[in-house]
Amino acid sequence: MPPDPPPWEDELTPEQLELFLSLRESPEDLMGHLREDVDLAVTLARADTRPYLRSWFSEMGIERRPGGGWSNDPERTGPIGPNAVGVEWRWVGTHKDEADGGGGDFNAIAPSGRDVTVRGFTLMGAEDRRFMVRRYIDWAGLFAQLGLTLNWRTPVASESPNGEEPEDEEPEGESPERAGEPERPEGRPTT
Amino acid sequence: MGDGMPYHLEKGPLLRIFEGHLNGNRASLEATLGVLETSEANDSVDWLFAGAPALWNDPAFGSGNPGDRRPTADEMRGRLLTEWFGYEQDGAGNWGPKQPPEQTTGYWIGYRGDVHRIVRTAMKWALKLALGTGSDDRSKQPEPWPIELFWKCPAPWFEAWVVSRRVPRTDMGLVTVFLVSPSHEGASVAESPIAYSAVATPPGASHPIPSWEDDYQWIGKKHPDPNKFPDRPRVKNAVDRDFATWVVTHKQHRIFGHVGRETGVGGNGSAERDREKNTAGPQEFADLTIPQLAMWEGTDKVVVVAPSLPAGGIKHDGKV
């Protein structure tokens, strides 16, 4: 049974798609070609990430802005190691303002109207005789641009070493006096 | 501001000492207010030294003698100046903002701001509210309202809340100051409000933990060590305590979420504590999702607990 077509096939020209599909089952050959044809590697990286970015950013209320969108940095794009290709990229958009109907489903974060830049790196290679893609996305950088912060308090495990709880105490109300203390004066100081 | 903060809200020893010296009679509050106003006019930190004359001689501070693990007054005041306010001492011994300014203030994480002015302004306003009468007729209220202090952490930036209210059916009111801070270097928080340690700062510990020191109390449960503390709780009916800070939450919390749950890859065998959604795992085509940071789940029953004084709570009688 042939593998499912890539969900982004319309991102490629018919020639690029035909080439990709012809080499897809021979990942080493595909990578050998991509290491020579860096433009196709960039196209694949863009095709791979753009649909996700569109979907994610739609969820977050982020829209492509004029002059923005996806671009790669040729200075940091090309062959890596013996059989991989890397593409550094960025996606520039606007976290839509409320006046533009902004706001997304992602935790319903309030639209800020701010421009944001998402940076990422896509690594394509042959792994286990399959064409595989790894996507490293600077999510922390995006969250920071949106003003989202970390709690930054390390949770410390706190649990009973033997799993036991103290015994239940007697029902309240039987002994109003304080142990070893005089009767409380009338009135209760507040501090 | 205490020796540690294993909970999200704290009163603890230092704020309790502050309250003790802040809440005098009208004359003493007016004197403290005068010092604060002079400090404000001079834009100085003098009020911290002279606002309450006996504050830094309080015997609740450590003596500095070997074996006395309590922080000394000088140490605590120094920590306030350096860690909270981000101040340093110049060659003449005067305290002021670090020069050149650092990217962040004091030991706060991801925050730069004038914490000193915020705290000074809040204290001044609290004193004014305490000295007010809650009425246009000041003759009806000869004594100031009490002031109490809390520290809440974390928040994105530093701010103080001064909350005042009249107490119905009395002639008095109450002024509550919440110092709301960002997180700070080395901060941790216990995943459970329940104490499993006798002390909040065991020897060699890197962080504070809930403890059953004075006057820890878990509603519905006996003291964790009744043989050593047969007189605990000292107020048998918890509702009759004069002082307490009760935290109501799940008995336990845990991080949940599974690496690779959506992608089917990237798990490392410790899914119970994995928290990220892995977009870097090798995939050909994947339905990737936006990563969430840690997701918390409150587990087990809901408990009502009064933390001990050293862990940021307060003793039943308000003493330090």
Side-chain angles (χ1 to χ4, degrees):
Chain A
M1 184 174 162
D4 293 335
W8 34 258
E9 55 185 318
D10 57 347
E11 297 272 340
L12 276 60
T13 65
E15 295 76 21
Q16 286 175 322
L17 183 61
E18 184 180 346
L19 179 62
F20 173 77
L21 293 177
S22 70
L23 293 172
R24 185 182 184 186
E25 299 307 306
S26 306
E28 285 79 11
D29 293 341
L30 174 60
M31 292 315 304
H33 183 87
L34 291 178
R35 289 164 66 85
E36 299 291 328
D37 185 357
V38 174
D39 286 345
L40 179 58
V42 170
T43 301
L44 283 174
R46 183 180 65 229
D48 171 66
T49 52
R50 199 156 60 174
Y52 298 122
L53 296 177
R54 278 189 189 139
S55 166
W56 292 335
F57 294 164
S58 169
E59 208 176 314
M60 299 175 84
I62 297 172
E63 270 195 348
R64 181 183 185 277
R65 66 177 173 87
W70 197 96
S71 63
N72 80 296
D73 188 331
E75 297 294 317
R76 286 179 287 279
T77 293
I80 292 180
N83 65 351
V85 176
V87 179
E88 186 191 271
W89 53 263
R90 65 175 59 192
W91 198 97
V92 179
T94 302
H95 190 217
K96 285 188 299 180
D97 212 336
E98 211 155 5
D100 301 323
D105 300 329
F106 179 64
N107 294 342
I109 50 175
S112 63
R114 294 175 179 162
D115 287 345
V116 294
T117 300
V118 189
R119 295 177 177 83
F121 188 82
T122 298
L123 188 64
M124 291 166 280
E127 298 182 40
D128 299 328
R129 300 195 55 77
R130 290 185 66 191
F131 172 66
M132 288 291 189
V133 183
R134 293 169 181 262
R135 309 157 188 91
Y136 300 87
I137 301 169
D138 180 19
W139 287 109
L142 175 61
F143 291 163
Q145 290 173 71
L146 295 175
L148 306 172
T149 52
L150 291 169
N151 173 307
W152 219 268
R153 289 191 68 182
T154 316
V156 177
S158 179
E159 51 195 20
S160 171
N162 55 14
E164 294 178 359
E165 289 186 358
E167 291 179 37
D168 292 348
E169 67 179 358
E170 295 89 11
E172 286 186 7
E174 294 179 357
S175 178
E177 78 278 6
R178 299 146 184 244
E181 293 197 356
E183 290 284 319
R184 18 189 325 245
E186 286 192 10
R188 183 184 301 185
T190 45
T191 61
Chain B
M1 206 189 289
D3 200 26
M5 189 182 190
Y7 295 92
H8 286 120
L9 185 74
E10 173 164 312
K11 183 180 289 291
L14 185 59
L15 292 184
R16 188 58 197 147
I17 294 172
F18 273 25
E19 288 176 352
H21 289 269
L22 202 55
N23 287 298
N25 57 24
R26 176 165 289 273
S28 74
L29 257 72
E30 286 175 345
T32 302
L33 179 59
V35 172
L36 270 160
E37 288 176 333
T38 303
S39 278
E40 192 173 63
N42 299 337
D43 196 19
S44 77
V45 75
D46 294 347
W47 66 276
L48 191 61
F49 292 80
L55 168 64
W56 301 110
N57 294 322
D58 193 294
F61 288 115
S63 62
N65 294 329
D68 187 346
R69 296 178 62 217
R70 297 172 302 168
T72 66
D74 280 350
E75 287 169 347
M76 292 310 295
R77 187 170 55 199
R79 288 181 60 183
L80 276 173
L81 288 160
T82 58
E83 295 177 346
W84 272 54
F85 300 164
Y87 277 22
E88 65 182 356
Q89 216 167 2
D90 65 18
N94 298 313
W95 288 93
K98 276 193 172 180
Q99 297 299 335
E102 295 187 324
Q103 187 176 20
T104 55
T105 299
Y107 74 167
W108 305 118
I109 294 173
Y111 173 73
R112 179 170 59 200
D114 198 335
V115 175
H116 170 223
R117 282 186 182 166
I118 295 171
V119 174
R120 188 178 62 192
T121 304
M123 295 309 295
K124 190 185 88 170
W125 185 231
L127 283 162
K128 286 199 167 195
L129 292 174
L131 286 164
T133 64
S135 163
D136 289 341
D137 182 0
R138 290 180 174 251
S139 66
K140 287 184 178 174
Q141 184 57 64
E143 291 304 314
W145 289 1
I147 300 172
E148 70 172 336
L149 307 170
F150 289 100
W151 173 21
K152 167 72 180 80
C153 171
W157 52 77
F158 199 102
E159 61 188 28
W161 284 79
V162 184
V163 181
S164 64
R165 57 160 298 179
R166 175 173 285 285
V167 177
R169 296 178 296 281
T170 74
D171 292 333
M172 295 297 285
L174 177 65
V175 179
T176 307
V177 179
F178 294 94
L179 301 167
V180 182
S181 82
S183 192
H184 58 88
E185 293 170 3
S188 60
V189 63
E191 292 178 351
S192 170
I194 306 299
Y196 299 110
S197 166
V199 294
T201 52
S206 61
H207 52 78
I209 53 177
S211 71
W212 61 68
E213 292 159 288
D214 294 337
D215 270 312
Y216 170 82
Q217 203 164 354
W218 176 3
I219 294 300
K221 294 290 179 182
K222 289 183 176 176
H223 191 275
D225 194 359
N227 294 327
K228 281 189 184 171
F229 299 90
D231 61 337
R232 297 298 195 272
R234 292 190 288 188
V235 179
K236 291 191 176 178
N237 289 333
V239 293
D240 289 327
R241 286 174 63 143
D242 284 338
F243 292 83
T245 56
W246 299 104
V247 56
V248 183
T249 187
H250 279 283
K251 184 186 169 196
Q252 190 58 262
H253 298 84
R254 68 176 194 122
I255 294 169
F256 73 105
H258 299 256
V259 162
R261 186 176 56 183
E262 284 76 20
T263 64
V265 297
N268 61 9
S270 58
E272 279 302 301
R273 293 191 64 85
D274 290 339
R275 65 203 70 177
E276 61 175 335
K277 296 192 176 176
N278 189 354
T279 58
Q283 288 285 294
E284 186 178 15
F285 313 116
D287 182 16
L288 301 172
T289 56
I290 303 167
Q292 295 270 357
L293 300 178
M295 293 189 287
W296 283 100
E297 179 184 19
T299 64
D300 213 326
K301 57 196 169 190
V302 171
V303 296
V304 183
V305 175
S308 70
L309 177 74
I314 188 168
K315 289 164 77 170
H316 77 93
D317 54 8
K319 294 178 180 172
V320 179

